[in-house]
Amino acid sequence: MAIDFSALKTNRKSLTDKLVSEVQKLNAPAQGNSQDDDKFWKPEVDKAGNGYAIIRFLPAPAGEDLPYVRIFDHGFQGPGGWYIEKSLTTLNQKDPLGEYNSVLWNSGIEANKELVRKHYKRRLSFTSNIYVVKDPAHPENEGKVFLFKYGKKIWDKIELAMNPEFEDEQKINPFDLWEGANFKLKIRKVEGYRNFDKSEFEGAAPLFDNDDDLEAVWKQEHSLAELIDPKNFKSYDELKVRMNRALGLDGGAAQPRTTAESAKTSTAPWDDEPAAAPAPAFKTATARPAPAAVDEDDDASLDFFKKLAEE
């Protein structure tokens, strides 16, 4: 339902309540094309892997209901090449790799489950509009509105701000222009991965004191709904062809070994060291995960496959 700017201010309490409700739904068990990079802001790190910026998460764009979209994707290199695709589970549709992962997980073979965990699992990311308050690496970005793709670790901080653990902690809606808060993004390199643990919200305060300035920022926001428009996703059949090629499934005829006995003679060709546990009988090749846009693990993907195994 579209709203104008005055309604955004007047109704922000009800909008916050709705947002909290939607966030809570994300914690329940879960029942394309290239993007315009110019619209996206990415934090830059130095040679040591450290980075710092201050950003402000913005409310839903005009005509849209939520200030974020949640997207699942897959990225790995198999015997037949790379597979880097958005998952149709983003749209609550069946996805060929999701179904294949279900077969692996339900096989009961730990090596198969390990393939799902390390290589084929869904990656979770969120995208929101942000206002860049401070960007020391690129000051030219300051005062501009961008899309920002982030992972579950940052999302957890957003959720914690909305639902604090202790009664003496201030409850805020980080996406509110008037009563939200700037987010201090602090990046460190820990064990080879980007770490956001030290990132934190400042105290609640308006982004600007003048509503005209706030409205000007709001009107610069980019569509989030566009990112999950079905037209920006490949069809099930297209994804299956690409998946079969990447996995070396020979037109889809080959299937993973699903018994411990049939898998005994195989070793996991995706590991740098020979694996003691059995693995599916794919064509031997080194598979490495695709470089992730977000260097964070997500537990939601494993929950998804555990649910499939129980069905």
Side-chain angles (χ1 to χ4, degrees):
M1 178 179 65
I3 56 175
D4 59 26
F5 186 74
S6 60
L8 177 69
K9 182 176 183 180
T10 302
N11 300 328
R12 66 184 190 277
K13 175 61 171 64
S14 61
L15 292 173
T16 296
D17 291 341
K18 179 178 179 180
L19 179 58
V20 170
S21 175
E22 290 295 326
V23 168
Q24 290 173 343
K25 290 179 183 178
L26 296 183
N27 291 327
Q31 305 290 322
N33 293 331
S34 64
Q35 299 168 342
D36 185 357
D37 287 340
D38 290 339
K39 296 179 181 179
F40 283 80
W41 176 83
K42 296 180 181 179
E44 186 169 312
V45 297
D46 58 24
K47 293 181 179 179
N50 299 320
Y52 177 78
I54 300 176
I55 61 176
R56 180 74 170 234
F57 291 97
L58 300 177
E64 299 183 18
D65 293 327
L66 293 173
Y68 65 87
V69 288
R70 184 179 66 160
I71 297 174
F72 291 107
D73 68 1
H74 297 278
F76 64 87
Q77 184 182 24
W82 288 97
Y83 184 86
I84 303 176
E85 301 291 347
K86 287 185 285 189
S87 171
L88 288 172
T89 58
T90 300
L91 308 178
N92 295 317
Q93 298 177 12
K94 290 183 177 180
D95 182 84
L97 188 54
E99 293 176 336
Y100 186 76
N101 280 335
S102 179
V103 173
L104 291 176
W105 194 270
N106 288 330
S107 71
I109 301 174
E110 187 57 34
N112 287 353
K113 292 184 178 182
E114 194 67 5
L115 286 172
V116 174
R117 292 188 187 102
K118 287 189 174 181
H119 300 293
Y120 305 147
K121 72 173 185 177
R122 300 187 305 177
R123 301 181 302 185
L124 171 64
S125 68
F126 298 84
T127 300
S128 295
N129 279 282
I130 62 164
Y131 176 87
V132 178
V133 178
K134 185 177 181 63
D135 185 352
H138 292 281
E140 67 274 13
N141 290 332
E142 295 175 4
K144 296 180 181 179
V145 173
F146 295 92
L147 292 171
F148 176 46
K149 182 178 179 180
Y150 53 97
K152 189 174 183 296
K153 296 295 178 62
I154 291 178
W155 174 259
D156 286 345
K157 291 183 178 292
I158 292 173
E159 188 174 358
L160 186 60
M162 298 178 65
N163 298 284
E165 295 180 297
F166 302 99
E167 62 182 24
D168 65 336
E169 295 176 339
Q170 183 184 22
K171 182 177 182 179
I172 64 171
N173 173 4
F175 300 98
D176 190 89
L177 288 170
W178 295 269
E179 298 177 345
N182 291 346
F183 185 66
K184 294 190 288 187
L185 185 64
K186 300 177 180 180
I187 306 171
R188 298 177 300 147
K189 191 172 184 178
V190 178
E191 297 181 351
Y193 293 92
R194 288 191 180 186
N195 182 286
F196 303 95
D197 288 349
K198 290 187 175 293
S199 300
E200 60 185 347
F201 284 99
E202 297 178 344
L207 177 59
F208 297 117
D209 293 329
N210 187 301
D211 278 5
D212 289 339
D213 292 336
L214 294 176
E215 183 175 10
V217 168
W218 182 63
K219 287 182 174 180
Q220 294 176 52
E221 291 191 37
H222 306 283
S223 172
L224 296 172
E226 174 71 17
L227 301 178
I228 54 173
D229 189 313
K231 71 181 182 183
N232 292 322
F233 288 72
K234 291 184 175 67
S235 70
Y236 179 96
D237 290 340
E238 288 175 306
L239 291 175
K240 189 167 185 177
V241 169
R242 289 173 175 268
M243 180 196 76
N244 288 339
R245 183 186 304 124
L247 292 176
L249 292 182
D250 194 21
Q255 294 295 325
R257 291 177 175 172
T258 55
T259 67
E261 183 64 30
S262 66
K264 276 183 179 178
T265 58
S266 295
T267 57
W270 298 268
D271 297 330
D272 292 331
E273 299 294 333
F282 301 144
K283 294 178 181 178
T284 300
T286 299
R288 292 184 171 82
V294 182
D295 296 316
E296 299 177 300
D297 283 333
D298 57 276
D299 296 329
S301 52
L302 293 184
D303 291 340
F304 171 72
F305 295 121
K306 288 177 183 176
K307 179 177 182 297
L308 288 176
E310 293 169 357
E311 292 180 346

